[in-house]
């Protein structure tokens, strides 16, 4: 069985490069209109233009996922432009600390947890009600193998990714079909 995403609206955070860019390009190739967002709108616009040149539909928006007001704006701008959101890909992440946990500074911990975990909770809380009204949708969080194993050098990042996995489980119970 094949599932079509033609005509669906997809929001991808951290989509200006790497995995996020590839996801945006592939979703566009599969027929979705994509919202490419990250902290630097110029980079997003470049990706969106590449998608448009390839025949896809794309909108570039600036969004620092660590700022709730940016996420509010992202969701509202997407709804204003397309009328709905069908797919959310939480890809944006950061890891400003490398080393053992006992050397982890509080501000680095807060940045990691805020960007990698809390932002996806906010994004889910902003989009799930809209998806429910339109008959459903998909939340996809890009985690990491570090969610499943210990690390001597990226422990807080690993904790944030493990939290992301649990967030997905909890959201599936709260919002999934019963």
């Amino acid at each position: 069985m094949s599932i079509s995403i033609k005509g669906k609206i997809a929001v991808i955070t951290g989509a200006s490069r790497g995995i996020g860019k590839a996801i945006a390009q592939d979703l566009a190739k599969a027929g979705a209109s994509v919202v490419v967002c990250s902290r630097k709108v110029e980079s997003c616009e470049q990706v969106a233009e590449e998608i448009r040149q390839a025949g896809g539909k794309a909108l570039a928006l600036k969004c620092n996922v660590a700022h709730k007001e940016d996420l509010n704006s992202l969701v509202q701008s997407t709804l204003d432009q397309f009328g709905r959101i069908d797919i959310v890909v939480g890809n944006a992440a950061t890891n400003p600390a490398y080393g053992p946990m006992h050397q982890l500074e509080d501000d680095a911990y807060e940045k990691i947890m805020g960007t990698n975990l809390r932002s996806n909770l906010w994004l889910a809380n902003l989009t799930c009600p809209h998806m429910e009204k339109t008959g459903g949708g998909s939340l996809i969080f890009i985690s990491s193998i570090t969610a499943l194993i210990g690390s001597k050098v990226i422990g807080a990042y690993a904790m944030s990714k493990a939290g992301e996995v649990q967030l997905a489980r909890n959201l599936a119970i709260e919002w999934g079909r019963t």
Side-chain angles (χ1 to χ4, degrees):
M1 179 177 143
S2 164
I3 298 173
S4 173
I5 61 168
K6 185 175 172 106
K8 300 292 185 182
I9 310 304
V11 174
I12 305 98
T13 66
S16 64
R17 59 190 173 101
I19 293 170
K21 178 180 177 180
I23 291 169
Q25 290 171 326
D26 283 351
L27 289 175
K29 283 179 194 170
S33 297
V34 297
V35 178
V36 177
C37 69
S38 76
R39 291 175 297 144
K40 298 177 181 169
V41 73
E42 300 82 13
S43 299
C44 295
E45 187 52 54
Q46 184 176 5
V47 173
E49 184 56 29
E50 290 173 16
I51 290 168
R52 291 189 288 266
Q53 290 292 323
K57 295 179 183 175
L59 173 66
L61 294 173
K62 179 182 179 187
C63 180
N64 182 337
V65 298
H67 300 138
K68 195 172 192 177
E69 62 275 8
D70 280 12
L71 288 170
N72 279 314
S73 179
L74 169 67
V75 170
Q76 190 58 56
S77 295
T78 302
L79 292 171
D80 290 346
Q81 179 73 27
F82 297 108
R84 68 182 198 280
I85 297 172
D86 302 300
I87 302 165
V88 174
V89 181
N91 174 66
T94 191
N95 185 38
Y98 188 83
M101 296 285 286
H102 72 272
Q103 293 176 353
L104 182 66
E105 299 287 334
D106 289 348
D107 60 338
Y109 174 86
E110 294 297 330
K111 183 174 185 174
I112 291 166
M113 292 300 169
T115 300
N116 300 0
L117 183 55
R118 184 182 58 216
S119 67
N120 284 321
L121 173 62
W122 286 342
L123 191 55
N125 287 342
L126 290 167
T127 58
C128 284
H130 295 287
M131 287 191 274
E132 183 179 53
K133 287 179 191 173
T134 59
S138 297
L139 288 173
I140 303 162
F141 301 134
I142 306 303
S143 189
S144 168
I145 190 66
T146 63
L148 305 175
I149 60 174
S151 174
K152 290 182 179 182
V153 292
I154 56 171
Y157 177 83
M159 289 182 345
S160 74
K161 291 302 180 173
E164 200 172 51
V165 170
Q166 187 60 37
L167 174 62
R169 288 184 192 113
N170 291 351
L171 291 169
I173 297 298
E174 291 182 24
W175 289 98
R177 293 187 179 131
T178 57

